[in-house]
Amino acid sequence: MTRWHVIAVGAVVIVALAALMVWRAQPAAPTVPEETVPLTPEQPPHENLAPTPAPPPAVETAPPEACVPPPPVPLPPLAESDAAVAGEVTGCVGGLAPLWLAEEDLLRRAAAVVAAAAAGRVPRGQLAFMAVTGPFRTVERDGVAYLDPDSYDRYVRFVDTVTCLSPERTVALLTRFEPLLGEALGALGDTGPDARAGVDALLERVLAVPMPRGFVPLTRPNVLYEYADPSLEALDDFQKQLLRMGPANLARLQDHARAVRAELARPTPPAPEACPDA
């Protein structure tokens, strides 16, 4: 190595050492911390919603007036009640209903029927217009007399008349005219004025009639025939008259009487406190 080469290398080394000393003598530049962004809940995107209108101010209104049902139609006097009764049963067209409605004093006549039948008597005078036609007939077999089954047909129209009103309509009619019927019963003198009790006693007698099976044997100790069965002969006159109608007619009457009695026992619903909306 020449002398000039040694001098150049030494100069480079001296310059490098000087630069290193200067770099260590300078203070380090401050470190700038990264900006920390606080975490916040995710905000929903802004929607352009119309503002919610404020509720209207409350307006004080008077409470609605109670709607009182109209009072029932007043009853006419007993002596003038035929038209009202006939108007309530215009739909009853079975059997002899037209003849029945053509009679006068319908409620007084009904009261007499209830009183007589409840006491076990046959109300012939009040029901003369419904009397069956033809004589009482019997048939004889092996020397024994029986009720003639062919004679049962004579009572079909009577049963049609008695059952032409439904049990519900029958009880509604009794409820409507119960005060007048009670007045008519009271005027008879031999029964109390309780119309429902009288009707219930009538129905009980109808239901107590035993249902005949087959031919009904008779005896004739004198002019009149009697039932050979002592239990049938012990029935009252009203019940024995029902027995003469035959099993089919008696069954219809008893079914109707049973339904009417059940309807009478149904509790009366309370009157409505307010009228329904129109």
Side-chain angles (χ1 to χ4, degrees), residues 193-272:
D194 190 340
R196 286 179 179 259
V199 171
D200 189 71
L202 184 157
L203 298 175
E204 184 177 2
R205 288 192 179 275
V206 173
L207 294 173
V209 179
M211 183 64 64
R213 302 294 180 183
F215 288 92
V216 181
L218 304 171
T219 62
R220 195 174 186 181
N222 44 48
V223 179
L224 302 177
Y225 283 98
E226 297 179 359
Y227 292 103
D229 186 341
S231 64
L232 298 182
E233 186 59 31
L235 298 174
D236 57 51
D237 291 342
F238 173 69
Q239 292 174 319
K240 284 190 276 190
Q241 182 63 48
L242 297 183
L243 198 60
R244 290 183 182 180
M245 296 182 180
N249 289 321
L250 179 59
R252 289 181 60 197
L253 284 177
Q254 289 185 334
D255 287 345
H256 189 71
R258 195 174 292 109
V260 171
R261 203 175 195 192
E263 191 67 24
L264 279 172
R266 192 186 304 275
T268 303

Side-chain angles (χ1 to χ4, degrees), residues 43-56:
Q43 299 294 330
H46 179 69
E47 297 183 3
N48 188 18
L49 299 177
T52 303

Side-chain angles (χ1 to χ4, degrees), residues 3-261:
R3 181 171 178 262
W4 290 107
H5 286 99
V6 172
I7 293 173
V9 171
V12 172
V13 172
I14 292 172
V15 172
L17 291 173
L20 179 63
M21 293 178 62
V22 170
W23 176 77
R24 287 186 175 182
Q26 292 179 351
T31 302
V32 180
E34 296 182 0
E35 183 179 0
T36 302
V37 180
L39 298 178
T40 58
E42 183 178 356
Q43 299 294 330
H46 179 69
E47 297 183 3
N48 188 18
L49 299 177
T52 303
V59 179
E60 295 184 0
T61 58
E65 297 182 0
C67 182
V68 180
V73 179
L75 291 174
L78 177 60
E80 303 172 7
S81 61
D82 283 350
V85 173
E88 293 286 341
V89 293
T90 52
C92 185
V93 294
L96 303 170
L99 295 179
W100 169 40
L101 295 177
E103 294 291 317
E104 296 180 350
D105 294 329
L106 293 175
L107 287 179
R108 286 195 178 100
R109 192 180 299 273
V113 170
V114 169
R121 304 189 303 270
V122 179
R124 290 189 178 88
Q126 294 75 29
L127 300 178
F129 66 96
M130 296 174 64
V132 296
T133 59
F136 174 76
R137 295 184 301 179
T138 63
V139 294
E140 188 170 326
R141 293 186 176 183
D142 299 329
V144 179
Y146 298 90
L147 285 176
D148 185 359
D150 291 340
S151 66
Y152 297 156
D153 294 340
R154 301 183 301 158
Y155 297 94
V156 171
R157 295 182 68 192
F158 173 82
V159 177
D160 288 343
T161 305
V162 175
T163 60
C164 67
L165 283 178
S166 67
E168 295 80 9
R169 194 76 189 105
T170 300
V171 174
L173 191 67
L174 172 62
T175 302
R176 165 74 172 142
F177 294 102
E178 186 173 359
L180 298 184
L181 187 60
E183 179 183 343
L185 283 169
L188 295 175
D190 59 346
T191 183
D194 190 340
R196 286 179 179 259
V199 171
D200 189 71
L202 184 157
L203 298 175
E204 184 177 2
R205 288 192 179 275
V206 173
L207 294 173
V209 179
M211 183 64 64
R213 302 294 180 183
F215 288 92
V216 181
L218 304 171
T219 62
R220 195 174 186 181
N222 44 48
V223 179
L224 302 177
Y225 283 98
E226 297 179 359
Y227 292 103
D229 186 341
S231 64
L232 298 182
E233 186 59 31
L235 298 174
D236 57 51
D237 291 342
F238 173 69
Q239 292 174 319
K240 284 190 276 190
Q241 182 63 48
L242 297 183
L243 198 60
R244 290 183 182 180
M245 296 182 180
N249 289 321
L250 179 59
R252 289 181 60 197
L253 284 177
Q254 289 185 334
D255 287 345
H256 189 71
R258 195 174 292 109
V260 171
R261 203 175 195 192

